[in-house]
Amino acid sequence: AQSVTQPDIHITVSEGASLELRCNYSYGATPYLFWYVQSPGQGLQLLLKYFSGDTLVQGIKGFEAEFKRSQSSFNLRKPSVHWSDAAEYFCASSGGSYIPTFGRGTSLIVHP
Amino acid sequence: DGGITQSPKYLFRKEGQNVTLSCEQNLNHDAMYWYRQDPGQGLRLIYYSQIVNDFQKGDIAEGYSVSREKKESFPLTVTSAQKNPTAFYLCASIPGGGHTEAFFGQGTRLTVV
């Protein structure tokens, strides 16, 4: 069975600093990987996705993620964080069953 | 505009009552999903349906029931058998036939009073 691990429950960064949120997946074949963002009391919005090809994918709001098969990772990055980026971030994957599996989420706190 | 609509946004239930959460989509998606979200636990799958008139249990189906009589509708009933129903519930849909991103509703927050 596939699984997704986000090891960091909370991440605190200063506005303007760089950001990296970690995600590890467990799936035998090539996974389909996603990052979503959730504002309080709202649904999830897709930031970016990886299916195949170039391992560095660009998303909305200046986010990017890099797929590393050797490390089973799909970490999310942003070079300069804005206060409006404070939210909950979820990594997800879907394997052969077409059922999205989510990590537990990482809460991003941005200090001014 | 196409999207997924969940209603109501807030719902209060007395102990022993059944309540039904609505999820409607006009995206013409085949697959629909219900997730439960609790702080620090991510999204846990309750039920899913990949075609009309068929649905499957997810990881935490006990105390919940669903129906899929129409492609655009996938209501979730929280029964009195669900001992800890207070949570944020999210409905999602995916186009059929392949791996792609999920589209989410705005969620329903259910509170037991």
Side-chain angles (χ1 to χ4, degrees):
Chain A
Q2 61 186 9
S3 66
V4 176
T5 302
Q6 293 180 248
D8 302 307
I9 298 175
H10 303 285
I11 290 283
T12 301
V13 299
S14 298
E15 191 169 15
S18 63
L19 170 70
E20 182 169 30
L21 302 182
R22 296 184 291 166
C23 173
N24 294 98
Y25 66 90
S26 172
Y27 183 63
T30 299
Y32 298 82
L33 297 164
F34 310 85
W35 274 100
Y36 294 86
V37 61
Q38 183 186 35
S39 298
Q42 300 296 315
L44 276 66
Q45 179 187 18
L46 180 73
L47 284 174
L48 47 78
K49 60 188 176 185
Y50 171 79
F51 290 169
S52 64
D54 193 348
T55 56
L56 184 64
V57 294
Q58 303 296 322
I60 63 171
K61 304 184 181 187
F63 285 93
E64 66 178 27
E66 185 171 13
F67 171 65
K68 293 186 178 180
R69 183 186 299 278
S70 61
Q71 299 177 19
S72 298
S73 69
F74 187 57
N75 294 348
L76 181 71
R77 302 194 295 245
K78 187 170 184 179
S80 178
V81 171
H82 188 263
W83 64 266
S84 60
D85 293 324
E88 191 86 15
Y89 290 82
F90 291 94
C91 183
S93 75
S94 68
S97 64
Y98 305 110
I99 300 171
T101 298
F102 291 83
R104 64 179 177 179
T106 298
S107 178
L108 175 63
I109 301 165
V110 180
H111 281 170
Chain B
D1 290 336
I4 300 179
T5 301
Q6 290 187 241
S7 62
K9 188 169 178 63
Y10 299 96
L11 186 57
F12 298 89
R13 188 194 95 169
K14 293 182 180 179
E15 289 194 18
Q17 281 184 336
N18 293 354
V19 291
T20 297
L21 284 59
S22 172
C23 178
E24 303 277 336
Q25 54 102 355
N26 60 4
L27 300 168
N28 200 33
H29 288 174
D30 292 304
M32 297 186 74
Y33 306 80
W34 275 107
Y35 290 91
R36 170 177 171 146
Q37 185 178 14
D38 297 282
Q41 297 194 50
L43 277 65
R44 293 183 290 167
L45 183 65
I46 304 172
Y47 268 98
Y48 65 99
S49 168
Q50 294 179 321
I51 194 169
V52 175
N53 291 323
D54 185 59
F55 49 83
Q56 305 296 327
K57 292 182 179 180
D59 300 318
I60 57 165
E62 184 175 353
Y64 300 98
S65 65
V66 294
S67 63
R68 187 84 186 279
E69 298 176 359
K70 299 185 297 182
K71 188 175 185 178
E72 58 270 23
S73 179
F74 191 41
L76 173 74
T77 297
V78 184
T79 74
S80 57
Q82 171 50 238
K83 297 306 179 187
N84 185 23
T86 295
F88 190 57
Y89 292 87
L90 286 162
C91 179
S93 70
I94 295 178
H99 297 279
T100 186
E101 69 266 28
F103 293 76
F104 283 84
Q106 294 300 294
T108 293
R109 180 162 301 281
L110 173 63
T111 303
V112 173
V113 297

